[in-house]
Amino acid sequence: GAGVSQSPSNKVTEKGKDVELRCDPISGHTALYWYRQRLGQGLEFLIYFQGNSAPDKSGLPSDRFSAERTGESVSTLTIQRTQQEDSAVYLCASSWRTSGSKQETQYFGPGTRLLVL
Amino acid sequence: SQQGEEDPQALSIQEGENATMNCSYKTSINNLQWYRQNSGRGLVHLILIRSNEREKHSGRLRVTLDTSKKSSSLLITASRAADTASYFCATAGGRDDKIIFGKGTRLHILP
């Protein structure tokens, strides 16, 4: 079956412009995560959606970052007024909860490589 | 915090040797997972071990979990060049069962 997809795969933008990144999770997955990964670094948690609960936005680095999710489907991560330090790979992952409400394996998309000039 | 931390940060070994990576965390968890990442793209799930399990095997992988020490180890036996990658542990727990990743171990297998 189809995995997690992200678009675009690469994005080059000028400083100050807004960008929108898209994530299509695996159908039926209730949980969706966005991460940022700078070159050679670990994963930095950004935001977590779980079903109809209020999203956990505790990882968003500034108010220039926002994310939305429509039900249990597509999510978009928006970065306004991009800065050079926003350059990174943005990864999306989805997972589902078992009947015991426990998180299981995360399935990752291929990421969007963002370069801000 | 709940975040796992891998140790060592980087590891280079000869092909054929065993590679051991460790992960420590700070709060109670429901499960712990190990992932591999090649070339800075998406992560691939390797193995999940639940909090009531102590050891798990998958092919050349062996994972242990010691909840009393809040630590886990990933052993890759008979390493191959293709095992060169970054390896991350991730813990799931807390009130919202959020999954948190560590900073990873960069493994390099020397020919």
Side-chain angles (χ1 to χ4, degrees):
Chain A
V4 178
S5 61
Q6 291 186 246
S7 62
S9 54
N10 293 280
K11 176 72 176 179
V12 180
T13 190
E14 294 179 346
K15 178 181 173 182
K17 295 282 179 69
D18 297 352
V19 296
E20 194 171 275
L21 312 180
R22 177 186 170 110
C23 172
D24 284 88
I26 292 173
S27 177
H29 279 192
T30 57
L32 187 148
Y33 295 75
W34 282 99
Y35 299 93
R36 178 171 69 180
Q37 187 177 32
R38 293 196 168 102
L39 187 64
Q41 303 297 310
L43 273 70
E44 179 184 356
F45 165 76
L46 296 178
I47 189 168
Y48 165 44
F49 296 90
Q50 174 56 54
N52 295 320
S53 302
D56 178 346
K57 303 179 181 180
S58 60
L60 295 178
S62 77
D63 58 8
R64 296 187 296 105
F65 287 73
S66 62
E68 292 184 349
R69 187 181 186 193
T70 307
E72 294 183 353
S73 61
V74 172
S75 176
T76 55
L77 175 69
T78 301
I79 309 173
Q80 295 177 309
R81 304 181 302 282
T82 53
Q83 304 294 312
Q84 289 182 330
E85 66 258 27
D86 298 335
S87 297
V89 175
Y90 289 82
L91 293 162
C92 173
S94 70
S95 66
W96 64 287
R97 281 188 168 182
T98 65
S99 59
S101 292
K102 301 302 180 189
Q103 290 275 5
E104 295 292 329
T105 302
Q106 284 197 321
Y107 293 84
F108 279 80
T112 293
R113 194 180 302 276
L114 175 66
L115 177 61
V116 182
L117 301 177
Chain B
S1 75
Q2 175 189 322
Q3 184 176 26
E5 293 197 7
E6 291 88 344
D7 156 55
Q9 290 187 332
L11 177 64
S12 293
I13 61 171
Q14 294 291 332
E15 191 169 15
E17 293 182 341
N18 297 339
T20 299
M21 289 159 273
N22 303 296
C23 171
S24 60
Y25 57 93
K26 295 182 179 178
T27 62
S28 62
I29 61 171
N30 297 319
N31 66 60
L32 185 145
Q33 305 173 34
W34 284 91
Y35 290 80
R36 184 182 71 201
Q37 184 182 40
N38 292 86
S39 305
R41 286 290 188 170
L43 280 70
V44 174
H45 178 258
L46 295 175
I47 196 165
L48 180 153
I49 186 165
R50 302 187 192 283
S51 59
N52 61 352
E53 297 175 313
R54 292 296 168 258
E55 187 170 311
K56 210 160 182 184
H57 297 254
S58 177
R60 294 184 296 112
L61 305 180
R62 181 172 78 100
V63 168
T64 62
L65 178 64
D66 186 334
T67 53
S68 66
K69 295 181 179 178
K70 293 186 169 57
S71 68
S72 173
S73 66
L74 170 67
L75 169 68
I76 304 175
T77 60
S79 62
R80 305 168 182 170
D83 295 329
T84 294
S86 290
Y87 292 81
F88 294 86
C89 71
T91 54
R95 186 181 60 190
D96 59 358
D97 209 30
K98 187 168 68 180
I99 295 177
I100 302 292
F101 282 81
K103 297 187 186 303
T105 292
R106 292 186 302 280
L107 176 65
H108 184 55
I109 307 301
L110 303 169

